[in-house]
């Protein structure tokens, strides 16, 4: 099925508003009442939002919750790494992102069917 229309997220910093496309975002990390967007060009943007809202809104666009504080775009995942002690991480470019036990099965299933 086609990806929902790309969303544009206004990001304000010091009185300047930039516009970031959802399709440019690799992953999102929760920071209190804010989330930090990590984009393909290596930039980071802080916006006032919650992961729960973004997870609901962006699930159809290929984002999956991997941890209570992380939302990852599946097509940016390069590797899934299972350590001998059972911990799982995803490699997204140079970043290694945690996958909690609670979210592992959904992450694995959605990666397998992408």
């Amino acid at each position: 099925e086609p990806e929902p229309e790309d969303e544009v997220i206004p990001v304000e910093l010091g009185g300047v508003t930039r516009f970031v496309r959802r399709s440019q975002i690799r992953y999102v990390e929760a920071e209190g009442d804010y989330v930090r967007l990590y984009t393909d060009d290596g930039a980071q943007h802080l916006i006032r939002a919650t992961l729960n809202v973004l997870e609901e809104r962006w699930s159809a666009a290929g984002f999956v919750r991997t941890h209570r504080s992380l939302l990852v775009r599946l097509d940016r995942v390069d590797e899934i790494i299972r350590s001998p002690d059972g911990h799982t991480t995803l490699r997204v470019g140079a970043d290694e992102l945690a996958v909690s036990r609670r979210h592992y099965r959904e992450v694995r299933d959605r990666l397998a069917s992408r």
Side-chain angles (χ1 to χ4, degrees):
E1 71 188 44
E3 180 180 325
E5 194 173 331
D6 202 6
E7 190 176 320
V8 175
I9 301 101
V11 175
E12 197 187 327
L13 184 63
V16 177
T17 301
R18 291 186 54 200
F19 297 94
V20 176
R21 294 185 169 282
R22 183 186 58 213
S23 59
Q24 298 171 321
I25 297 170
R26 302 154 67 123
Y27 65 95
V28 183
E29 189 171 21
E31 285 190 24
D33 294 334
Y34 292 82
V35 294
R36 187 173 294 278
L37 310 174
Y38 291 82
T39 57
D40 288 332
D41 60 7
Q44 301 177 15
H45 306 281
L46 204 59
I47 63 167
R48 193 172 179 92
T50 69
L51 271 194
N52 288 338
V53 167
L54 293 184
E55 177 184 17
E56 218 167 88
R57 236 169 58 199
W58 293 1
S59 175
F63 283 82
V64 65
R65 189 76 163 258
T66 64
H67 188 273
R68 65 187 160 80
S69 62
L70 285 169
L71 188 64
V72 177
R73 186 177 167 112
L74 289 172
D75 66 7
R76 294 302 191 274
V77 173
D78 298 309
E79 293 177 337
I80 183 164
I81 303 155
R82 289 282 277 173
S83 65
D85 63 6
H87 283 86
T88 305
T89 53
L90 299 178
R91 199 172 58 72
V92 176
D95 299 323
E96 282 202 13
L97 308 174
V99 178
S100 64
R101 290 186 198 286
R102 182 174 156 221
H103 292 98
Y104 171 71
R105 181 166 277 119
E106 188 195 350
V107 170
R108 186 197 60 198
D109 292 348
R110 287 196 55 190
L111 275 171
S113 65
R114 66 177 175 171

